[in-house]
Amino acid sequence: MNAFHTLLHTPASPPALGTWIMSASPLVAEAMGHAGFGWAVIDMEHTPLDQMELIHLLQAVAGTPMKPVVRVPWNDAVTIKRVLDAGATTLLVPFVQSAEEARDAVAATRYPPEGRRGMAGMSRASRFGTAPDYLRTANQGLCVIVQLETTEAIGQLEAIAAVPGVDALFIGPGDLSATMGHVAQLTHPAVLEITAQAVQRAKAVGKPIGTVGGTVEVVQRYRAMGFDFTAIASDLGLLMRSAQAAIGALGQPPAEGSTVSGGY
């Protein structure tokens, strides 16, 4: 059974809290894993992570309670295959716009006949060939989360959620706000309204749905909407805000251009 899938379906109040790993540092990722987060997205979309660096991060968090979710750079079968071979078992696939694209994402994670993932017996995922019957059982140990980041994607929410193998949905508030004409205004009333509607529609079809917020206050608003899992900020976001809060508390004016103005 997939550890993140189990986390999603274990009743908890408040729901499981995650964060984002943006620093590409195994040491920082390991520290975050011991901080108390239930899960974290290791981000390959907006960081310089390559395949070997991903493996180092997965190794770093393996000894912590934090469940890793790997966001691949794109809905690309070759990339997904390599990330799975590296040992990832839970994927977040960005910018899924339709049920067809969701089916493509799921198919890329499954060995035939359920999908089109290329077979490799000697990989980190198979414990270098020592995992019993890995090629026959791997499909059952995966979790696929698809990210809805535009109004068009949210319009297709029910169809995307109905695709077999899609385990959860994820609202990307940054790109959603931009596509609605409210760049960097993640809590614009119109953005929050469509987000709240998406949560209720996901609940109506029984599909877990998550999102990420930059601050405690924003995450609390998301939780009040009914999100099943939420993330707060990122390792770098938490670091920068904490550093600047300490600088401000000690009366030191921030260096020119150093104020954190947005993002996670």
Side-chain angles (χ1 to χ4, degrees):
M1 178 60 71
N2 178 277
F4 187 80
H5 189 276
T6 299
L7 187 71
L8 277 183
H9 293 276
T10 301
S13 183
L17 182 65
T19 191
W20 236 250
I21 303 298
M22 303 286 291
S23 66
S25 165
L27 191 63
V28 173
E30 185 179 12
M32 297 297 280
H34 288 295
F37 292 106
W39 58 280
V41 171
I42 298 175
D43 191 16
M44 298 184 75
E45 183 183 12
H46 292 297
T47 70
L49 277 180
D50 63 20
Q51 188 80 356
M52 185 55 72
E53 289 167 331
L54 169 64
I55 290 174
H56 291 162
L57 290 181
L58 290 173
Q59 290 171 329
V61 303
T64 78
M66 189 172 70
K67 313 300 187 294
V69 176
V70 177
R71 179 161 73 171
V72 294
W74 194 247
N75 188 1
D76 171 73
V78 174
T79 301
I80 289 173
K81 172 179 61 180
R82 288 173 59 81
V83 167
L84 292 175
D85 285 348
T89 57
T90 301
L91 301 188
L92 176 60
V93 182
F95 220 80
V96 171
Q97 292 283 85
S98 66
E100 180 180 2
E101 292 183 7
R103 281 191 289 271
D104 286 342
V106 172
T109 69
R110 266 47 173 190
Y111 286 130
E114 288 85 4
R116 61 176 187 273
R117 177 185 174 188
M119 290 197 173
M122 187 57 62
S123 67
R124 183 172 183 269
S126 69
R127 301 178 190 170
F128 308 100
T130 67
D133 212 17
Y134 175 77
L135 295 177
R136 294 182 183 275
T137 61
N139 289 357
Q140 286 71 54
L142 301 176
C143 181
V144 175
I145 310 164
V146 297
Q147 197 160 343
L148 312 183
E149 304 185 70
T150 67
T151 54
E152 291 80 7
I154 290 178
Q156 297 295 313
L157 185 150
E158 287 82 3
I160 292 171
V163 172
V166 170
D167 295 287
L169 308 174
F170 197 94
I171 300 295
D175 282 299
L176 176 61
S177 65
T179 62
M180 294 178 67
H182 306 298
V183 176
Q185 300 178 64
L186 279 61
T187 58
H188 187 283
V191 178
L192 291 177
E193 180 180 3
I194 194 172
T195 299
Q197 292 172 356
V199 172
Q200 294 309 308
R201 289 165 58 194
K203 289 188 176 300
V205 297
K207 191 66 65 175
I209 187 168
T211 194
V212 56
T215 66
V216 170
E217 293 74 21
V218 172
V219 172
Q220 287 173 333
R221 294 181 76 167
Y222 289 149
R223 283 180 165 179
M225 288 181 186
F227 275 99
D228 298 294
F229 59 110
T230 51
I232 180 166
S234 66
D235 51 0
L236 290 181
L238 293 168
L239 168 68
M240 292 296 290
R241 289 183 178 89
S242 179
Q244 292 195 326
I247 290 168
L250 294 172
Q252 179 71 33
E256 183 178 354
S258 66
T259 302
V260 177
S261 59
Y264 306 123

